[in-house]
Amino acid sequence: MLGENLQIGLAGLGTVGSGVYEALLRNRDILEARAQISYEVRRVAVRDKKRRRSVELAPGVLTEDWRELVEDDQIDIIIELIGGITEAYDLVRAALEKGKPVVTGNKALLAEHGNTLFRLSQEKGVPLYFEASCGGGIPIVRSLQNSLICNNVSAIVGIINGTSNYILTAMATEALPYHEALRQAQQLGYAESDPTLDINGWDAAYKGLILAMLAYGTPLRPETISVTGIEQVEPVDFTFARQLGYTIKLLVVIRHHQERKALELRVQPSFVPQQHLLSKVEGVFNAIAVRGDLVGETIFYGRGAGKNPTSSAVVSDVVLAMRECRLQGYHTGFQPYTQEVQVLPVEETVTPCYVRFRVKDCHGVIASIAAAFSRHDVGISATSSADGEHEGGKTEWNHLVFMLHACPWGQLQKALDEIRQLDTVVADPVVLRIETFQGT
Ligand code: HSE
């Protein structure tokens, strides 16, 4: 049971950590009124005490050792915002062992170790809150846990990485070079300090795993999700997409194939029809479409990254922790219940696709590629082409685009393996899924 003047230990004072600290001070009146409890931030753990910071702390509050927070009997609740996996795991584990509720926004930690941590949380009867782990300020975790709990969820399709969406939007609308867009996203505090996971799709994949575990109540391992990042997308792909009535988004797709008791689980840059709401999600905004058998289609939209939106999710968890710990009843996280599902091999997932080849400018090139598609039973719905351009002028190769009818991913890969062998094809093709949103 929490004390009347709740003592908080905050581990991590980076972009989100300082946002959380400021929000706890700025909104103290409403938070204390809504939780019916008063609070103090008693200790803050940081890597380097001497570093200059935007927030001012009373002497004695800072420590370089998070263990001091866990060992401090006065501290009731721990907020973990140090990031990374290994140390964060030790911290959360130690806090739960000590009986201290934990609030975290660490998606990689939960995707890798969520099942172990929630098992511990249940054994100890100590809650672990994680609204900030998915979609920044969008209340998607709590919605799946509570508001949509009575639904069979047939699909979740979302844009859940703000940095990559910021980059793709800047490439599409301002023709900004990739590196400039990334630099802006970093300056604005959207990208992780090492943006690799934002770009290569893994940040979205971790969040997707969390959503899938919540929606289907089943443990899932990161190795089971098929992940492609945005590195392969080039400005010319946006030109083709626009001409064909689409835009390009990095989508997480979680689809339940009920008849096979299997989950389709993937992250890929994808063509999204211009008339679909997800195509209008720009910049750092995220949106998650959830389809349930009772509720039908829902779309959650908001800022998916950044100091204040993420702090909103973290601090709301703190308030919930204050309330729920007083009532002694809380959600059991990822603990499995009865639903049994497996992950569908990516080769068996079926969508239409956009494929762009760089080809030599010579006779018969379209026919030889079309013949290979035909041998593998991959249907073509349209083709398009454009001259290859570079700074020095026209190149000796062209862009050749094929829009393909829906076919299994594995079948397409076999056709592409054959096409890669053609002398006329000069680079690895760019392959983007086309999401039709049927059944979503
Ligand atoms: N780097 C993440 C994003 C922020 O760009 O969405 C929070 O997960």
Side-chain angles (χ1 to χ4, degrees), residues 157-161 165 249-252 278 281 285-288:
V157 178
I159 295 167
I160 49 177
N161 180 264
N165 202 47
K249 296 290 178 194
L250 183 71
L251 293 185
V252 58
L278 288 186
V281 177
F285 279 87
N286 283 194
I288 304 148

Side-chain angles (χ1 to χ4, degrees), residues 381-399:
S381 59
T383 62
S384 186
S385 64
D387 289 346
E389 297 280 345
H390 68 77
E391 281 175 14
K394 191 175 176 314
T395 62
E396 285 174 5
W397 48 263
N398 291 333
H399 296 290

Side-chain angles (χ1 to χ4, degrees), residues 13-59:
L13 203 56
T15 305
V16 178
S18 54
V20 165
Y21 186 82
E22 286 163 8
L24 284 167
L25 296 187
R26 187 186 328 130
N27 287 1
R28 179 187 289 281
D29 290 355
I30 58 165
L31 299 182
E32 291 190 340
R34 288 172 185 174
Q36 289 287 292
I37 201 164
S38 60
Y39 62 82
E40 302 298 334
V41 179
R42 183 176 167 85
R43 302 299 305 276
V44 178
V46 293
R47 243 180 271 286
D48 177 6
K49 278 208 292 192
K50 288 186 220 72
R51 216 176 110 190
R52 283 175 62 110
R53 307 175 186 281
S54 56
V55 292
E56 277 190 28
L57 296 158

Side-chain angles (χ1 to χ4, degrees), residues 38 65 97 176 187 206 244 277 280 310 322 424 436 439:
S38 60
D65 185 0
E97 296 273 9
L176 217 58
Q187 274 176 352
Y206 286 141
L244 294 161
L277 272 178
K280 321 279 185 236
T310 312
M322 295 185 206
T424 45
T436 56

Side-chain angles (χ1 to χ4, degrees), residues 107 160-163 190-192 198 203 207 304-305:
K107 60 253 158 190
I160 49 177
N161 180 264
T163 303
Y190 303 147
E192 305 297 318
D198 293 311
D203 177 87
K207 294 169 184 169

